[in-house]
Amino acid sequence: MICADCGSELVDDEQFACLEAEQSVTDKTVFGTGIEEESEAGEDENDQAGMLENPPEKDIMSGKPHGLSQYSSLYRDNAERANENRSSAWVLMVIGGLGIVGLMLGITGVIPLHFSNAYLFYGVMAAIFILFLVAGIVSMKNALVFEKRAESENSVKSTLLEWCGQNLRAEELDQQISSGENEAEEILYFKRFEAIKARLNHQFVNLDQGFLEKLIDDTVYEMVFGADKDTT
């Protein structure tokens, strides 16, 4: 098609859409990607500068760099859950019991309480305190369940620690990960951690990974590399 005014060739709708798409891709390539790459490069440089200026300090007690022992906070063992549920159960049951006693004293007139609608007040408060009691009983039952699981968990933990004490050696693990002499302490810690984890997963199947990571971070790492921290 030719324009009647200027004599130029016209494009149809499909060609116009293709031209718009090509222009959009060109704009993103020129203006978008370059900015993102510059931003990512700047962030990487800032991270590296921060690591050089503020290197992670080494924990004298455990031989692990500060900020790297995050596995313990990611998993709560069953004994801890049992204690939490038991504490919550006692609090809920005490509040519910005291509330019910207070309502009974108010209803019988021992504690003089005056409300415009006493039936509504006592009914609502009684329902709330009964819910406290029910929640406390449920929490106590959950605590008993977690206690039983904790016994099984402690048995598995004892088996794992015994095996680690007999089979894991710091020298063998360091040879396995091929650590360099000038390797950063945090990198060395993670390599050792993964090596220990791989050995345990190979020896024992179907282990809960959260439980395993907490055990390594809390006990096994120090057990295996405890001599190493004394010499560094």
Side-chain angles (χ1 to χ4, degrees), residues 81-93:
R81 293 182 180 182
N83 292 331
E84 291 178 355
N85 277 271
R86 187 181 298 104
S87 300
S88 299
W90 281 115
V91 171
L92 291 170
M93 288 190 294

Side-chain angles (χ1 to χ4, degrees), residues 163-182:
W163 186 88
C164 290
Q166 296 175 355
N167 297 275
L168 295 183
R169 298 292 180 268
E171 297 79 6
E172 296 178 1
L173 291 172
D174 284 341
Q175 290 178 359
Q176 177 182 342
I177 62 177
S178 301
S179 59
E181 294 181 357
N182 299 325

